Amino acid sequence: MDADSLRDYKNLSSGNICDAMELLGLRRSVIHGFTFVAPPGSIVVGPALTVRQIPKHGSAPKSANLVRHAEISRQIAQEGDVVVIDVGGIRDVCSWGEIHSLRCQKRGVAGLVIDGCIRDVEAVRKMGFPVFCRGFSPVKSQWDLETLSLNEPVMIGGIQVRPGDILFGDETGILVVPPEREREVLSKATEILAGEEKIICELQGQDSG
Amino acid sequence: MDADSLRDYKNLSSGNICDAMELLGLRRSVIHGFTFVAPPGSIVVGPALTVRQIPKHGSAPKSANLVRHAEISRQIAQEGDVVVIDVGGIRDVCSWGEIHSLRCQKRGVAGLVIDGCIRDVEAVRKMGFPVFCRGFSPVKSQWDLETLSLNEPVMIGGIQVRPGDILFGDETGILVVPPEREREVLSKATEILAGEEKIICELQGQDSG
Amino acid sequence: MDADSLRDYKNLSSGNICDAMELLGLRRSVIHGFTFVAPPGSIVVGPALTVRQIPKHGSAPKSANLVRHAEISRQIAQEGDVVVIDVGGIRDVCSWGEIHSLRCQKRGVAGLVIDGCIRDVEAVRKMGFPVFCRGFSPVKSQWDLETLSLNEPVMIGGIQVRPGDILFGDETGILVVPPEREREVLSKATEILAGEEKIICELQGQDSG
Amino acid sequence: MDADSLRDYKNLSSGNICDAMELLGLRRSVIHGFTFVAPPGSIVVGPALTVRQIPKHGSAPKSANLVRHAEISRQIAQEGDVVVIDVGGIRDVCSWGEIHSLRCQKRGVAGLVIDGCIRDVEAVRKMGFPVFCRGFSPVKSQWDLETLSLNEPVMIGGIQVRPGDILFGDETGILVVPPEREREVLSKATEILAGEEKIICELQGQDSG
Amino acid sequence: MDADSLRDYKNLSSGNICDAMELLGLRRSVIHGFTFVAPPGSIVVGPALTVRQIPKHGSAPKSANLVRHAEISRQIAQEGDVVVIDVGGIRDVCSWGEIHSLRCQKRGVAGLVIDGCIRDVEAVRKMGFPVFCRGFSPVKSQWDLETLSLNEPVMIGGIQVRPGDILFGDETGILVVPPEREREVLSKATEILAGEEKIICELQGQDSG
Amino acid sequence: MDADSLRDYKNLSSGNICDAMELLGLRRSVIHGFTFVAPPGSIVVGPALTVRQIPKHGSAPKSANLVRHAEISRQIAQEGDVVVIDVGGIRDVCSWGEIHSLRCQKRGVAGLVIDGCIRDVEAVRKMGFPVFCRGFSPVKSQWDLETLSLNEPVMIGGIQVRPGDILFGDETGILVVPPEREREVLSKATEILAGEEKIICELQGQDSG
């Protein structure tokens, strides 16, 4: 995804992209029902960096640190990436918070999509690092979870996400665009947007009745 | 519902109306658990225009356009109406968005109650057209749904809504008032409000302890 | 649906029919997650007689009898029909029980699919009238519900069912077959069944080991 | 809990306290999934005043007033208390609203945690009395509920809360601290906070990349 | 509840009793959605012995045994009683199993209603001690729960149950009958049953077809 | 797991093993809430063969067969294995049916645990191949899912299962025993069983009161 594509995607809405993907006959790839912790009007676009976490094995001691967040926020996540964490929908442990958000923001990471919880909600919202999550929990993942894989396919909200897939998210929802179709989707969605803008302009030009 | 009633209802809260209906012995008619996309403090009041949508039949092609939103927002919804859409609680398709909201707003429609999803959430919130919904989805209803009826009784949140029923909604919840009891409910609720305001004034006049 | 079709469908499983419909490119029309109150191995096949019930309106007195079960089980349901009742998923009122089951059984009705509850569960199971339901409740629908329509399209488990659609249900699930494709589906499903039976015979002929 | 403790707790986050409690080997005592109706950045800390409400008995008339809110907000709740109401998760009746919030605010009550609903949501949010709840309903508890006990142990979100337990809540979640461990938890959490602040300062001092 | 009442109640169904209570204007008191582990056709009738369990407090050690099952099954539950355990709907711990069932059966206890889980499901079913529960779990309550009260009012499935209330349960559902109305309900329900039996006899006497 | 261990485990219940693991201080590893399709009294014990399936990627054609069931039931599953399939809780597609069950049964496979659906429910039950599942669906996984890994760690019901972990399941629930602790757990559980059997014998020897 080059800088031009990125800029042009940022003019679109999830509705435009969804319509484009349906019209192009792509398999429906929409992630529904996440809470968006971000400034009003935020849009998250970029290639996915995928992480899979699962509960610790019965043989693992509570104190064992088997998660790899620090690595991700310090080294692995690159400028423009969208970090995508599959924790199997677990709602009583968090896998992200203020420090990882700040580190990622400093490195230019585009945002986070997590099928689980974050903590430090107020601080994350204030710093403006955009996060899609399932809920909030103060419980550190270190006690309960382990990182099973990095950059392998994961499932988020019933949709497969592969490393490098283009994620586009706004308050309405998140789309997963296969990277090889990225240009085609952009082009069709831009056309749809143009049609909608024309209608909206006409409507706004009318006197209210 | 005349202009005076409308103005007087707008001074009330859902709590006042609910108390009045209980005291008058009316069947409980409260719609719970909707998300209110609207400016803080918004109130929606007006007669219901009802719409029923269901999933397309197995024999319908994907491309067939069997929904009737355009008609509703262009012609059918009248000034003061509350559009009420029963989609059976489906959460992965939307049945409303920016353009329909704008058209309705221009025509003076009071708001929308939908037992399903909307899209263009940020735009709808910014324009101030008040919407009660179950969630958000970028997926256009055209692909999956059809409009089955207009102005027939529908079920929203476990409550029957008939065309012409008075809907009253604020952030706390939505009441369905039978139109033939509208004045009686207004009168009782106004009395309840007066009692509450007196208590609140007294409390606000006290020094904090 | 003639007697031959009916007999041939009864040799199939929901899996065979579902595979056939997918291979024929029909819109997926599967009703999931119902409890099957019926003797082991039961199959329900036949054209749908559709009923829609919704909660009583706020203006209706508790004692008003607005349901039409008696009519359905006495006159409207015909030999071979599958009665399909859409009650919007309500789980704390029943819309069917022993007497209606017995009447329908006497008239040769094939079975019942209800997106809600039944009562007299033990009696219904013992008499062998097959019922797919969402749960059980002793509360009579007369107090809370009204019958809104007969033989209009309804939604059951997220699927549209039209009067005359062929319903096929076994313990695994329920399929809705458009009547104009009934023969085609039967033919393809029979082919699939033959392939499976061959594999099963071979496997059963093997020594275990 | 003395004034110094209170002030020091207010500098912490739910994450700090949760980490401290885990490190000290305390049983996990986290309340998840509540909606926080409060100004951004609010924190609620204080000893619990516990209330248990259950649905009225079958023999109780609808009009019987068996709740004890007025007593609580007028007399029982003391400055600094957190009112904790267990209503067994009921979502279609409220047990709190504007007048009780205002009375409590005037008396210096710290906030409310309710495993159920409130009403007058907009008014409560505007006055700044912080409330954790499960949802919103305009239906007065007087019709449906009765107060069963005051200052007996209750269950909120799967956690036991005893009168006098220290509750700490922010937008991320709520912790229940046994009062005899309050100092120890504070001390450990303060240490954790110091470590985190150091990291955050370093990160904020860096040039963004 | 004397022996005659008990015998006569055992001829009824939950539907008969529910209809009677509605016709007598009693507050609806139906417990829905429980799994019935019992021989086909079982009916449970008798006065409630109520128990309330909640999760252990944060200060309680894991090994502390704070439950009182042994007492209940050995001494407190009397012949004819229905043991009613409110565990707040917790689904990952059990509060009952084979040994308590056997002890209760030996003492003539009528059955169990638990808003939580049991274990030893196969053994309990085989011995024929009838149990209404929410699910199954092998985890002993001793680790996680404590008994808070015996013979105080509890909430089960959204309904208040007081010690001494008459519980009537069959596969369809459970009714809670205020003891002072027990005769009146029995008399009305018996009348309803007679009416239904007449219809059923007539239907069974008809030729099918 | 040798033949003696296997035989001895088969005398135990999930309750015995759960108690043993708690007493030995192992991390709680219980899988709750599955439906057990098996003859009454069945027990499933053996080492896990793990499979992970996720929804197809947006770029995959509908017809592409990316699942590996045939391989598993024909070659990979060995005598005594428990096949464990993680499908992320998806309820509207099945990943198992009659033919795979029969093949596995012929090869001596001990049973199946699937965090999703099966089809051919009646046939699977009749053949006696024991299955723990989340529900039933006639929809073949080939259309919607792909097999992502074999014999890698998976998550089932919120618990990590590694290839080779000992699974023990009866109608009450499923335990995951770390293989290196298998003997120790067996020994402790056998001791617990002996204690329980003594109590049960005494109780059964008593005259009923």
Side-chain angles (χ1 to χ4, degrees):
Chain A
M1 175 169 237
D2 61 26
D4 285 357
S5 271
L6 184 63
R7 188 201 55 218
D8 293 345
Y9 263 99
K10 287 197 166 163
N11 289 326
L12 298 169
S13 71
S14 57
N16 302 146
I17 295 167
C18 188
D19 288 356
M21 290 178 73
E22 294 281 333
L23 288 169
L24 293 169
L26 289 165
R27 181 181 286 265
R28 194 172 290 173
S29 297
V30 184
I31 301 173
H32 286 102
F34 280 62
T35 297
F36 194 22
V37 177
S42 294
I43 282 176
V44 175
V45 202
L49 181 169
T50 59
V51 182
R52 176 151 154 83
Q53 289 193 288
I54 62 168
K56 280 182 177 176
H57 189 252
S59 62
K62 181 178 170 182
S63 57
N65 188 348
L66 307 172
V67 293
R68 298 173 60 186
H69 296 78
E71 242 176 288
I72 295 164
S73 60
R74 278 186 184 132
Q75 307 176 322
I76 299 175
Q78 300 301 317
E79 192 179 341
D81 282 356
V82 178
V83 179
V84 175
I85 308 181
D86 170 1
V87 289
I90 290 172
R91 305 279 179 105
D92 56 1
V93 177
C94 76
S95 298
W96 199 263
E98 182 180 10
I99 292 176
H100 294 299
S101 295
L102 193 54
R103 269 206 201 106
C104 279
Q105 195 182 44
K106 291 291 175 187
R107 294 170 56 83
V109 172
L112 174 75
V113 179
I114 179 167
D115 186 25
C117 293
I118 63 161
R119 70 183 194 182
D120 309 323
V121 184
E122 175 64 17
V124 172
R125 187 186 287 112
K126 267 171 77 175
M127 83 175 66
F129 181 73
V131 171
F132 292 93
C133 63
R134 288 288 195 189
F136 310 144
S137 169
V139 181
K140 217 154 71 169
S141 61
Q142 179 184 335
W143 316 116
D144 291 10
L145 305 181
E146 73 178 89
T147 303
L148 203 67
S149 71
L150 294 181
N151 279 327
E152 299 287 340
V154 298
M155 181 174 92
I156 299 283
I159 303 298
Q160 186 181 147
V161 181
R162 291 190 184 160
D165 281 349
I166 305 304
L167 267 83
F168 179 100
D170 62 17
E171 194 180 346
T172 297
I174 307 168
L175 279 296
V176 184
V177 183
E180 67 277 16
R181 309 295 291 273
E182 175 234 301
R183 290 297 179 97
E184 205 182 346
V185 169
L186 175 59
S187 156
K188 176 61 79 183
T190 305
E191 202 181 291
I192 292 165
L193 172 66
E196 292 197 349
E197 280 180 339
K198 195 155 158 273
I199 297 173
I200 290 169
C201 278
E202 286 167 12
L203 285 167
Q204 282 172 331
Q206 292 171 2
D207 290 336
S208 64
Chain B
M1 175 170 236
D2 61 25
D4 285 357
S5 272
L6 183 62
R7 187 201 55 219
D8 292 346
Y9 263 99
K10 286 200 166 163
N11 289 326
L12 299 168
S13 71
S14 58
N16 301 147
I17 296 167
C18 188
D19 287 358
M21 290 178 72
E22 294 281 332
L23 288 169
L24 293 169
L26 288 166
R27 181 181 287 266
R28 194 172 289 171
S29 297
V30 184
I31 300 173
H32 285 102
F34 280 61
T35 297
F36 194 23
V37 176
S42 294
I43 282 177
V44 175
V45 201
L49 181 170
T50 60
V51 183
R52 176 150 154 83
Q53 288 192 289
I54 63 168
K56 280 183 177 176
H57 189 253
S59 63
K62 184 180 169 180
S63 57
N65 188 348
L66 307 172
V67 293
R68 298 173 60 186
H69 295 79
E71 243 176 288
I72 296 164
S73 60
R74 277 186 185 135
Q75 309 176 319
I76 300 173
Q78 300 301 317
E79 192 177 343
D81 282 355
V82 178
V83 179
V84 175
I85 308 180
D86 170 0
V87 289
I90 290 172
R91 305 280 180 104
D92 55 2
V93 177
C94 77
S95 298
W96 200 263
E98 182 179 8
I99 292 175
H100 294 299
S101 295
L102 193 55
R103 269 205 202 106
C104 279
Q105 195 182 43
K106 292 290 175 186
R107 296 169 56 82
V109 172
L112 173 76
V113 179
I114 178 167
D115 187 24
C117 293
I118 63 159
R119 71 182 193 183
D120 309 323
V121 184
E122 176 64 16
V124 171
R125 188 186 286 112
K126 267 171 77 175
M127 83 175 67
F129 180 72
V131 171
F132 291 93
C133 63
R134 288 288 195 188
F136 310 144
S137 170
V139 182
K140 216 155 70 171
S141 60
Q142 180 185 335
W143 316 117
D144 291 10
L145 305 181
E146 73 177 89
T147 303
L148 203 66
S149 72
L150 293 181
N151 279 327
E152 299 287 340
V154 298
M155 181 174 93
I156 299 282
I159 303 298
Q160 185 181 146
V161 181
R162 291 190 183 159
D165 280 350
I166 305 303
L167 268 83
F168 179 100
D170 62 16
E171 195 180 347
T172 297
I174 307 167
L175 278 296
V176 183
V177 183
E180 67 276 17
R181 310 295 291 272
E182 176 233 303
R183 290 298 178 95
E184 205 183 346
V185 169
L186 176 60
S187 156
K188 176 61 79 183
T190 304
E191 202 181 291
I192 292 166
L193 173 66
E196 292 197 350
E197 280 180 340
K198 194 154 160 275
I199 298 173
I200 290 169
C201 277
E202 286 167 14
L203 284 167
Q204 281 171 334
Q206 290 171 2
D207 289 337
S208 65
Chain C
M1 176 169 235
D2 61 25
D4 285 357
S5 272
L6 183 62
R7 188 201 54 217
D8 292 346
Y9 263 100
K10 287 199 167 164
N11 288 326
L12 298 169
S13 71
S14 58
N16 301 147
I17 294 166
C18 187
D19 288 357
M21 289 177 74
E22 294 280 333
L23 287 169
L24 293 169
L26 288 166
R27 181 181 287 265
R28 194 173 290 171
S29 297
V30 184
I31 300 173
H32 285 102
F34 280 61
T35 297
F36 195 23
V37 176
S42 294
I43 282 176
V44 176
V45 201
L49 181 169
T50 59
V51 182
R52 176 151 154 82
Q53 289 192 288
I54 63 169
K56 279 183 178 177
H57 189 252
S59 62
K62 183 179 169 180
S63 56
N65 188 349
L66 307 171
V67 293
R68 299 174 59 186
H69 295 78
E71 244 176 286
I72 295 165
S73 60
R74 278 186 185 133
Q75 308 176 319
I76 300 174
Q78 300 300 317
E79 192 178 342
D81 282 355
V82 178
V83 179
V84 175
I85 308 180
D86 170 1
V87 290
I90 290 173
R91 305 279 180 106
D92 54 3
V93 177
C94 76
S95 298
W96 200 262
E98 182 180 8
I99 291 175
H100 295 299
S101 295
L102 193 54
R103 268 204 203 107
C104 279
Q105 195 182 44
K106 292 290 175 187
R107 295 169 55 82
V109 172
L112 173 76
V113 179
I114 178 168
D115 187 24
C117 292
I118 63 160
R119 70 182 195 184
D120 309 322
V121 183
E122 176 64 16
V124 172
R125 188 185 287 113
K126 267 171 77 175
M127 85 175 65
F129 180 73
V131 172
F132 291 93
C133 63
R134 288 288 195 190
F136 310 143
S137 170
V139 181
K140 217 154 72 169
S141 61
Q142 179 184 336
W143 316 116
D144 291 10
L145 304 181
E146 73 178 88
T147 302
L148 203 68
S149 71
L150 294 181
N151 279 327
E152 299 286 340
V154 298
M155 181 175 93
I156 299 284
I159 303 298
Q160 185 181 146
V161 181
R162 291 191 183 158
D165 281 350
I166 305 305
L167 267 83
F168 179 101
D170 62 17
E171 196 180 347
T172 296
I174 307 167
L175 278 296
V176 183
V177 183
E180 67 276 18
R181 309 295 292 271
E182 175 233 302
R183 290 298 179 95
E184 205 181 345
V185 169
L186 175 60
S187 155
K188 176 60 80 181
T190 304
E191 201 181 292
I192 292 165
L193 172 66
E196 291 197 350
E197 280 180 340
K198 193 155 161 271
I199 297 172
I200 290 169
C201 279
E202 285 167 13
L203 285 166
Q204 282 173 333
Q206 290 171 4
D207 288 338
S208 64
Chain D
M1 174 169 237
D2 61 26
D4 285 357
S5 271
L6 183 63
R7 188 202 53 218
D8 292 347
Y9 263 100
K10 287 200 166 162
N11 289 325
L12 298 169
S13 71
S14 57
N16 301 146
I17 295 167
C18 187
D19 288 356
M21 290 178 73
E22 294 282 331
L23 288 169
L24 293 169
L26 287 165
R27 181 181 287 265
R28 193 171 291 173
S29 296
V30 184
I31 300 174
H32 285 103
F34 280 61
T35 297
F36 194 22
V37 176
S42 294
I43 283 176
V44 175
V45 202
L49 181 168
T50 59
V51 182
R52 176 152 154 82
Q53 288 193 289
I54 62 168
K56 281 183 176 175
H57 189 252
S59 63
K62 183 179 169 182
S63 57
N65 188 349
L66 307 172
V67 292
R68 298 174 59 187
H69 295 80
E71 243 177 286
I72 294 165
S73 60
R74 279 187 185 131
Q75 307 176 320
I76 299 174
Q78 300 301 316
E79 193 179 341
D81 282 356
V82 178
V83 179
V84 175
I85 307 180
D86 170 0
V87 289
I90 290 172
R91 304 279 179 105
D92 55 3
V93 177
C94 76
S95 298
W96 199 262
E98 183 179 9
I99 292 175
H100 294 299
S101 294
L102 192 56
R103 270 206 201 105
C104 279
Q105 195 182 44
K106 293 290 174 186
R107 296 169 55 82
V109 171
L112 173 76
V113 180
I114 178 167
D115 187 23
C117 292
I118 63 161
R119 71 182 193 182
D120 309 323
V121 184
E122 176 64 16
V124 172
R125 188 186 286 112
K126 267 172 78 176
M127 83 175 66
F129 180 73
V131 171
F132 291 93
C133 63
R134 288 288 194 189
F136 310 144
S137 169
V139 181
K140 217 154 71 169
S141 60
Q142 179 184 335
W143 316 116
D144 291 9
L145 305 181
E146 74 178 89
T147 303
L148 203 68
S149 71
L150 293 181
N151 278 327
E152 298 287 340
V154 297
M155 182 174 93
I156 298 284
I159 303 298
Q160 185 181 149
V161 181
R162 292 190 183 158
D165 281 349
I166 304 305
L167 267 83
F168 179 102
D170 62 17
E171 195 179 347
T172 297
I174 307 167
L175 279 295
V176 183
V177 183
E180 68 276 17
R181 309 294 291 273
E182 174 233 300
R183 290 298 177 95
E184 204 181 347
V185 169
L186 175 59
S187 157
K188 176 59 81 184
T190 304
E191 201 181 290
I192 291 166
L193 172 66
E196 291 197 350
E197 280 180 338
K198 195 155 159 272
I199 297 173
I200 290 169
C201 277
E202 286 167 13
L203 284 168
Q204 283 172 331
Q206 289 172 3
D207 290 337
S208 64
Chain E
M1 174 169 236
D2 61 25
D4 286 357
S5 271
L6 183 63
R7 188 203 52 218
D8 293 345
Y9 264 100
K10 286 199 167 162
N11 289 325
L12 299 168
S13 71
S14 57
N16 302 146
I17 296 166
C18 188
D19 288 356
M21 291 177 74
E22 295 280 333
L23 288 169
L24 293 169
L26 287 165
R27 181 181 288 265
R28 195 171 290 172
S29 297
V30 184
I31 300 174
H32 286 103
F34 279 62
T35 297
F36 194 22
V37 177
S42 294
I43 282 176
V44 175
V45 202
L49 180 169
T50 59
V51 182
R52 175 149 155 86
Q53 290 193 290
I54 62 168
K56 281 182 176 176
H57 189 251
S59 63
K62 182 180 169 181
S63 57
N65 188 348
L66 307 172
V67 292
R68 298 173 60 186
H69 296 79
E71 245 177 283
I72 295 164
S73 59
R74 279 187 184 131
Q75 308 176 320
I76 300 174
Q78 300 301 317
E79 192 178 341
D81 282 355
V82 178
V83 179
V84 175
I85 308 180
D86 170 0
V87 290
I90 289 172
R91 305 280 179 104
D92 55 2
V93 178
C94 77
S95 297
W96 201 262
E98 183 180 9
I99 292 175
H100 295 300
S101 294
L102 193 54
R103 270 207 201 104
C104 279
Q105 195 182 44
K106 292 290 174 187
R107 295 169 56 80
V109 172
L112 174 75
V113 179
I114 179 167
D115 187 23
C117 292
I118 64 161
R119 71 182 192 184
D120 310 323
V121 184
E122 176 64 17
V124 171
R125 187 185 288 112
K126 268 171 76 175
M127 83 176 65
F129 180 73
V131 171
F132 291 93
C133 63
R134 289 287 195 189
F136 309 144
S137 169
V139 181
K140 214 152 76 166
S141 61
Q142 180 184 336
W143 316 116
D144 291 10
L145 303 181
E146 72 178 90
T147 302
L148 202 68
S149 71
L150 293 180
N151 278 327
E152 299 286 340
V154 298
M155 181 173 93
I156 299 283
I159 303 298
Q160 185 181 145
V161 180
R162 291 191 183 158
D165 281 349
I166 305 304
L167 268 82
F168 180 99
D170 61 17
E171 194 179 348
T172 297
I174 307 167
L175 279 296
V176 184
V177 183
E180 68 276 18
R181 309 294 293 272
E182 175 234 300
R183 289 299 178 95
E184 204 181 347
V185 170
L186 176 59
S187 156
K188 175 61 78 182
T190 304
E191 201 181 292
I192 292 166
L193 173 67
E196 292 196 349
E197 280 179 339
K198 194 155 159 270
I199 297 173
I200 290 169
C201 278
E202 286 167 14
L203 285 167
Q204 282 172 334
Q206 290 170 4
D207 288 338
S208 64
Chain F
M1 175 169 236
D2 61 25
D4 284 358
S5 272
L6 183 63
R7 188 201 54 217
D8 292 347
Y9 263 100
K10 287 199 166 162
N11 289 326
L12 298 169
S13 71
S14 57
N16 302 147
I17 295 166
C18 187
D19 288 356
M21 290 178 73
E22 294 281 332
L23 288 168
L24 293 168
L26 287 165
R27 181 181 286 265
R28 195 171 290 171
S29 297
V30 184
I31 299 173
H32 285 102
F34 280 63
T35 297
F36 194 23
V37 176
S42 294
I43 283 176
V44 175
V45 201
L49 181 169
T50 59
V51 182
R52 176 151 155 83
Q53 288 193 287
I54 62 169
K56 280 183 178 176
H57 189 252
S59 63
K62 182 180 170 181
S63 57
N65 188 349
L66 306 172
V67 293
R68 298 173 60 187
H69 295 79
E71 246 176 285
I72 294 165
S73 60
R74 279 188 184 132
Q75 307 176 320
I76 299 174
Q78 300 301 316
E79 192 178 343
D81 282 356
V82 178
V83 178
V84 176
I85 307 180
D86 170 0
V87 289
I90 290 172
R91 303 281 180 105
D92 55 3
V93 177
C94 76
S95 298
W96 200 263
E98 182 179 9
I99 291 176
H100 294 299
S101 294
L102 192 55
R103 270 206 200 103
C104 279
Q105 194 182 46
K106 291 291 174 187
R107 295 169 56 82
V109 172
L112 173 75
V113 179
I114 178 165
D115 187 23
C117 293
I118 63 160
R119 70 181 193 184
D120 310 323
V121 184
E122 176 64 17
V124 171
R125 187 185 288 112
K126 267 171 77 175
M127 84 175 67
F129 180 73
V131 171
F132 291 94
C133 63
R134 288 289 195 189
F136 310 144
S137 170
V139 181
K140 216 154 73 170
S141 61
Q142 179 185 334
W143 317 115
D144 290 10
L145 305 181
E146 73 177 88
T147 303
L148 203 68
S149 71
L150 293 181
N151 279 327
E152 299 287 340
V154 297
M155 182 174 94
I156 299 284
I159 302 298
Q160 186 181 145
V161 181
R162 290 191 184 157
D165 281 349
I166 305 305
L167 268 83
F168 179 100
D170 62 17
E171 194 180 346
T172 297
I174 308 167
L175 280 295
V176 184
V177 184
E180 67 276 16
R181 309 295 291 273
E182 175 235 301
R183 290 297 178 97
E184 207 181 343
V185 169
L186 175 59
S187 156
K188 174 61 79 184
T190 303
E191 202 181 290
I192 292 166
L193 173 66
E196 292 197 348
E197 280 180 340
K198 195 155 159 274
I199 297 173
I200 290 169
C201 278
E202 286 167 14
L203 284 167
Q204 282 171 333
Q206 290 171 4
D207 289 337
S208 64

